[in-house]
Amino acid sequence: MPKSIRKAAVIGSGVMGSGIAAHLANVGIETLLLDIIPASLLPEEEAANATLEDAKVRNRFASRAVEKLKKANPSPLYSPAFADRIQPGNVEDDLTKLGEVDWIIEVIVENLQAKQQLYSKIEQVWKPGTIVTSNTSGISIKEMAAHTSDEFKAHFLGTHFFNPPRYMKLLEVIPGEKTSPEISEFMKSFCEKTLGKGVVLAKDTPNFIANRIGTYGLLVTLKEMERSGLSVEEVDAVTGPAMGRPKSATFRTLDLVGLDTFVHVAQNVFDLLPDGSEKEVFTPPQILKQMAAKGWIGEKSGQGFFKKLKTAEGSEIQSLNFNTLDYAKSRKITSASLEASKNAKGTKEKLKALLNTPDQYSEFAWNILKQVLIYSAEKLGEIADNIVEIDHAMKWGFNWNLGPFETWDAIGLKRSVSKMESEGLTVPVWVKEWIEAGNESFYQWNDGKTFYYFRNEYKAVEEMPELISLQNLKKQNKIIRSNSGANLIDIGDGVACLEFASPNNAIGADILTMIQQSVDEVNRNYKGLVLANEGRNFCVGANIMLLLLEAQEEEWDEIDSIIRLFQNSMMKLRFAEKPVVAAPHKMTLGGGVEACLPADEIIFSAETYFGLVETGVGLIPAGGGCKELAMRLALSNDDPEADLQPQLNKLFETIAMAKVSTSGHDTQRLGYKRVQDRVVVNEDHRIYEAKKAVLRLADSAYVPQKPQKFRVAGDSGKAVLQLGAYGLRQGGYISDHDYLIAGKLAHVLAGGNVPAGTVVTEQYMLDLEREAFLSLCGEPKTQQRMQHMLTKGKPLRN
């Protein structure tokens, strides 16, 4: 068994194969991407006098797949440069190279015979000890390896990635009948720690865990829709956030997945199940077959359950009428139960509000939910050994907020089972026995640990040191300080974590006050501070609503006070006596970036979208963002006479155009990532890694940061920046207001109206930021931009 995987091979360069290869490249694994040899030349190859024997032709499928990876949006790669880690080839010329890799992943067509033939070829060049896995979404692991040796079988298993491999958290590891337990455990650990996946161990059954339950849920939804006569829009209104599911709900999800793919997955289960009621559920509905026959398979064909039309006013979303197969303009759906769910806070309360407010949508939600819960309970032991694997699979694979058994707990296990039975449903015996034994939930929190149902008793969830849960720590009364916007939490070993907890983690006075109090507390009693939270996003910026209200009331002194508080809080972080490490994730914008920049180190999650975006609302960064980046630029040059202008031009463009990184790695391209900053692939490990960094800094004679003086480009540098903006304005690329904002930004980044090379203080730069910000707040067009962002959720270019 390998101690690590340094080199891999992916066989099959389609969407999934190339996506898996891209993610392996993302984490630094050199990858061989192989596909079949083309049967004929393309016109352009003929024109170039190429032959079928030329290497470029023979590697065409894999080579083109790699090129597509560089251009795809959203990108499968953390950085386009990582594509260089993928070597294209073909299965005839390069098969012997499989003997040089540590992991072989098969991602070819979902056909048992084709896979068996490929494994026979692989085994001929296979190096004993090399792990071989299939990305199959439902074919039996046992059957695929049926004709291979026992030693090969011991190293063979399923690794089912969800699409797209970079972005989807779930990876199902499916051991075969003869897979070595050590190999299974190694792969589970490797895929969690190195690939950053949420791994569940699945049984070798049709469609494994997530697709088995997810497909069942979608099919019973379609059948219940047919019975109740609801429309596409109505079903999506019920089965989205109201039930703790993604906004794409049922039909937008099917359009994204593709009806052809979904029908194939459902058909796979249907074909493998014995006759009976379960098999009947997996019969693909007639409407799906009709749509597939017409080519209406979803987003990739331009239409499915929804289609987008261009109109004189812009665009219009239309939805399909199941009865007529015609499209009509989608309508907004509302009802008492949907409004009750919308107004409730948290998934559990939203779901209870939906179910407990009687109307047709509440009834629809209950009728599909009860079937999914019972089915999940029936499949326990068959598709997975425990409820945790099933709950994780549905949360990570289908983006449900709660898994089936968590959902059951949320709505009340005992009461809901009683209702199910009163309606004539058969609840699995083990569930009734569990309730009769006096248990009221599948999960239980006790003595600082989470316990779950396991074979008629509670078993503690395995604690992994890499998983630091702020939610659990709060349950253990580890909060040191708290206010309406933030919590300071003891995360152990003398380290505290500052957690933003306001709506969308937007920074207001409460968070700023807590930052200052937290630094004081840590200076006195702790080894260091971590900035992290478990919100959907790290921080979307400052509280724009507050700023807009103050600007509309012309409370300039109040705005000045807010900005001073922001700047002082960031400087407090910067000059803390103990180390500060920030661990941002997902959207980290505007003020969220400014909260990270003063930290001694930043531990980026791989999926961090990081950028100063204030120009989008008609402002410039004023919480120290401009100062911090201009200072870094100047201090990074060892030569005191070095020309700052080239780097300053790039910095100006990054902020003026509100550029946001496409990943944690991409922050380096935009100039945010320093030498000491790192990227963690598994987002769940970021707080642990940040804590480790704090302790390392604290144990190495930490020296606090000191105020700096640095050179600025001055009035001549400002003139260059303004000239560039003027050219864009003359070319019609930016508006007059954009040009005004650019001028203010140029003034700040260049250090104002001083001679080139002037040495300034940090406070001087902060004063420039604040003055420019205040003046822009008074601009009517800036206020229009702020209002538009608050109401529409997107920038206004006025």
Side-chain angles (χ1 to χ4, degrees):
M1 185 176 72
K3 293 182 180 178
S4 63
I5 292 174
R6 296 184 177 85
K7 192 169 184 179
V10 176
I11 303 176
S13 67
V15 173
M16 278 304 295
S18 61
I20 292 169
H23 195 58
L24 296 177
N26 282 337
V27 299
I29 297 173
E30 296 292 326
T31 302
L32 183 64
L33 180 62
L34 305 182
D35 211 318
I36 60 172
I37 291 173
S40 59
L41 294 172
L42 295 174
E44 56 265 37
E45 291 169 337
E46 290 180 342
N49 295 319
T51 72
L52 288 173
E53 299 306 311
D54 291 343
K56 283 188 177 181
V57 174
R58 296 172 74 81
N59 296 340
R60 183 211 301 157
F61 292 131
S63 297
R64 291 201 164 190
V66 174
E67 290 306 309
K68 284 182 181 178
L69 292 175
K70 299 176 186 178
K71 301 171 185 175
N73 185 25
S75 176
L77 296 159
Y78 291 152
S79 167
F82 293 173
D84 293 342
R85 297 170 180 167
I86 305 173
Q87 178 188 349
N90 67 77
V91 289
E92 290 189 22
D93 302 331
D94 301 307
L95 200 66
T96 57
K97 293 181 180 178
L98 298 182
E100 304 168 8
V101 305
D102 305 306
W103 181 15
I104 301 167
I105 311 171
E106 169 269 306
V107 200
I108 67 168
V109 63
E110 285 287 82
N111 177 281
L112 176 59
Q113 186 177 5
K115 290 177 185 289
Q116 288 177 335
Q117 290 173 352
L118 176 61
Y119 290 128
S120 295
K121 292 180 180 178
I122 290 173
E123 190 168 17
Q124 293 174 17
V125 297
W126 178 68
K127 177 182 66 180
T130 300
I131 295 171
V132 183
T133 71
S134 173
N135 184 61
T136 180
S137 59
I139 295 179
S140 167
I141 304 301
K142 177 183 177 181
E143 292 297 324
M144 282 191 285
H147 305 299
T148 61
S149 67
D150 284 349
E151 187 178 8
F152 187 93
K153 288 185 179 79
H155 293 80
F156 178 70
L157 65 162
T159 48
H160 180 213
F161 289 80
F162 272 58
N163 191 32
R166 168 184 165 180
Y167 298 97
M168 290 301 291
K169 183 172 181 175
L170 179 62
L171 191 152
E172 293 174 317
V173 168
I174 311 104
E177 193 175 54
K178 295 189 176 182
T179 305
S180 159
E182 290 78 17
I183 293 293
S184 297
E185 190 54 42
F186 169 79
M187 287 304 293
K188 182 177 187 296
S189 175
F190 175 82
C191 292
E192 285 173 344
K193 294 179 180 179
T194 304
L195 299 187
K197 294 299 174 187
V199 177
V200 297
L201 285 174
K203 302 279 189 122
D204 189 8
T205 56
N207 285 23
F208 313 127
I209 302 175
N211 278 342
R212 182 73 170 269
I213 292 176
T215 303
Y216 178 90
L218 285 165
L219 289 170
V220 297
T221 299
L222 287 168
K223 292 182 189 298
E224 183 61 26
M225 172 189 179
E226 186 178 6
R227 189 194 67 78
S228 61
L230 296 188
S231 68
V232 165
E233 304 102 306
E234 288 174 308
V235 171
D236 270 10
V238 176
T239 58
M243 289 184 68
R245 311 281 174 82
K247 287 182 180 179
S248 56
T250 297
F251 293 110
R252 290 189 190 278
T253 296
L254 284 170
D255 275 354
L256 287 168
V257 170
L259 269 67
D260 52 343
T261 301
F262 177 74
V263 169
H264 170 79
V265 171
Q267 189 70 47
N268 185 61
V269 182
F270 177 84
D271 292 341
L272 295 172
L273 288 177
D275 291 337
S277 57
E278 184 182 3
K279 187 182 186 78
E280 186 180 334
V281 173
F282 282 92
T283 306
Q286 191 61 32
I287 181 69
L288 298 187
K289 293 179 180 178
Q290 288 177 286
M291 292 173 67
K294 289 176 174 289
W296 299 352
I297 58 174
E299 199 166 271
K300 55 191 173 186
S301 70
Q303 68 187 92
F305 293 103
F306 295 94
K307 72 175 179 179
K308 190 174 184 179
L309 290 183
K310 290 184 178 179
T311 65
E313 292 76 31
S315 62
E316 177 181 290
I317 302 296
Q318 295 191 337
S319 58
L320 183 69
N321 182 309
F322 274 24
N323 296 319
T324 65
L325 290 185
D326 292 326
Y327 288 89
K329 184 178 180 180
S330 293
R331 55 195 180 90
K332 184 175 175 60
I333 306 299
T334 187
S335 76
S337 64
L338 293 173
E339 285 301 306
S341 176
K342 184 178 179 181
N343 293 330
K345 290 187 177 180
T347 300
K348 292 181 181 181
E349 295 306 313
K350 286 180 180 296
L351 186 54
K352 286 195 286 188
L354 174 68
L355 296 176
N356 296 334
T357 309
D359 62 20
Q360 63 174 333
Y361 300 134
S362 173
E363 180 183 358
F364 181 81
W366 168 249
N367 285 341
I368 59 176
L369 185 62
K370 65 186 180 184
Q371 296 181 72
V372 172
L373 297 183
I374 288 175
Y375 187 73
S376 300
E378 288 174 344
K379 295 298 115 183
L380 179 64
E382 179 184 335
I383 63 174
D385 278 332
N386 61 67
I387 65 171
V388 176
E389 304 283 12
I390 293 175
D391 279 346
H392 280 164
M394 299 317 297
K395 290 191 292 184
W396 296 339
F398 279 75
N399 292 318
W400 292 6
N401 290 346
L402 298 172
F405 297 97
E406 292 172 327
T407 298
W408 222 329
D409 282 357
I411 65 175
L413 175 60
K414 191 173 181 179
R415 187 174 69 86
S416 61
V417 165
S418 178
K419 185 177 180 183
M420 290 171 186
E421 291 190 311
S422 72
E423 294 173 356
L425 275 73
T426 302
V427 177
V429 172
W430 73 263
V431 175
K432 294 200 291 183
E433 289 178 346
W434 182 245
I435 294 172
E436 288 166 3
N439 301 295
E440 297 187 358
S441 64
F442 292 116
Y443 291 90
Q444 189 179 77
W445 174 262
N446 188 25
D447 195 27
K449 293 183 179 180
T450 299
F451 294 80
Y452 65 97
Y453 167 88
F454 186 73
R455 297 176 183 171
N456 296 321
E457 63 181 11
Y458 278 117
K459 180 179 180 180
V461 172
E462 182 183 357
E463 293 185 353
M464 299 175 61
E466 295 89 356
L467 299 179
I468 295 178
S469 168
L470 299 181
Q471 184 179 2
N472 286 352
L473 288 169
K474 286 186 285 187
K475 288 181 183 177
Q476 297 174 52
N477 298 316
K478 296 294 185 180
I479 294 179
I480 305 163
R481 288 177 173 271
S482 181
N483 67 16
S484 59
N487 302 301
L488 184 65
I489 303 167
D490 186 339
I491 59 174
D493 299 316
V495 180
C497 177
L498 178 59
E499 173 199 44
F500 297 170
S502 65
N504 295 316
N505 290 337
I507 298 177
D510 47 6
I511 288 180
L512 297 172
T513 299
M514 184 56 69
I515 287 174
Q516 300 210 19
Q517 293 175 353
S518 296
V519 172
D520 289 338
E521 178 72 34
V522 168
N523 284 345
R524 289 191 299 267
N525 299 313
Y526 290 84
K527 292 182 179 179
L529 178 67
V530 168
L531 299 179
N533 63 67
E534 294 169 336
R536 186 182 298 265
N537 299 296
F538 177 78
C539 177
V540 297
N543 188 330
I544 301 175
M545 174 70 80
L546 174 63
L547 288 169
L548 178 59
L549 291 175
E550 298 292 359
Q552 289 173 336
E553 295 294 324
E554 299 186 358
E555 295 286 354
W556 311 122
D557 287 343
E558 188 62 32
I559 295 177
D560 182 78
S561 177
I562 292 170
I563 301 308
R564 286 180 187 273
L565 175 62
F566 204 123
Q567 292 181 340
N568 291 340
S569 300
M570 298 307 107
M571 294 295 272
K572 188 106 174 178
L573 279 173
R574 176 162 151 68
F575 300 129
E577 297 170 16
K578 303 291 178 67
V580 176
V581 176
H585 68 285
K586 295 295 193 307
M587 287 173 61
T588 304
L589 307 175
V593 170
E594 291 177 307
C596 295
L597 292 179
D600 297 287
E601 290 185 19
I602 302 177
I603 307 294
F604 294 100
S605 164
E607 300 300 340
T608 304
Y609 317 122
F610 198 85
L612 294 167
V613 296
E614 285 82 353
T615 58
V617 289
L619 299 167
I620 69 163
C626 293
K627 177 271 298 181
E628 189 71 26
L629 294 174
M631 179 175 69
R632 286 186 188 180
L633 187 157
L635 297 179
S636 66
N637 284 293
D638 296 329
D639 181 1
E641 301 299 321
D643 184 7
L644 300 176
Q645 197 68 51
Q647 291 175 277
L648 185 63
N649 293 346
K650 184 178 178 182
L651 173 59
F652 174 72
E653 180 182 301
T654 296
I655 300 176
M657 296 182 69
K659 291 184 178 180
V660 177
S661 73
T662 58
S663 69
H665 291 84
D666 192 47
T667 55
Q668 185 167 359
R669 175 181 64 88
L670 297 182
Y672 291 117
K673 185 172 178 287
R674 301 162 297 182
V675 173
Q676 68 264 39
D677 299 331
R678 293 188 295 115
V679 179
V680 172
V681 178
N682 193 318
E683 191 172 290
D684 294 339
H685 296 178
R686 69 189 185 283
I687 299 176
Y688 169 78
E689 293 294 337
K691 176 183 171 180
K692 280 205 314 183
V694 164
L695 292 172
R696 173 175 45 78
L697 290 168
D699 293 341
S700 58
Y702 175 73
V703 178
Q705 298 185 59
K706 300 296 182 186
Q708 297 282 350
K709 293 182 178 180
F710 54 94
R711 290 186 303 130
V712 292
D715 45 17
S716 59
K718 171 183 170 181
V720 173
L721 299 180
Q722 287 180 317
L723 182 61
Y726 179 76
L728 290 174
R729 179 67 197 102
Q730 291 300 103
Y733 296 106
I734 62 174
S735 68
D736 287 338
H737 194 54
D738 290 326
Y739 182 59
L740 173 67
I741 298 165
K744 299 283 186 182
L745 179 63
H747 180 76
V748 174
L749 290 178
N753 298 320
V754 296
T758 299
V759 175
V760 301
T761 64
E762 292 187 49
Q763 188 57 52
Y764 168 82
M765 293 292 283
L766 291 174
D767 291 341
L768 289 182
E769 282 186 3
R770 193 176 64 258
E771 291 163 6
F773 189 94
L774 274 167
S775 67
L776 287 169
C777 280
E779 293 288 335
K781 287 188 176 181
T782 283
Q783 294 178 21
Q784 290 170 14
R785 289 191 178 192
M786 295 166 77
Q787 183 71 52
H788 192 269
M789 179 62 75
L790 288 168
T791 55
K792 303 291 185 181
K794 55 186 179 182
L796 170 69
R797 289 299 177 197
N798 56 351

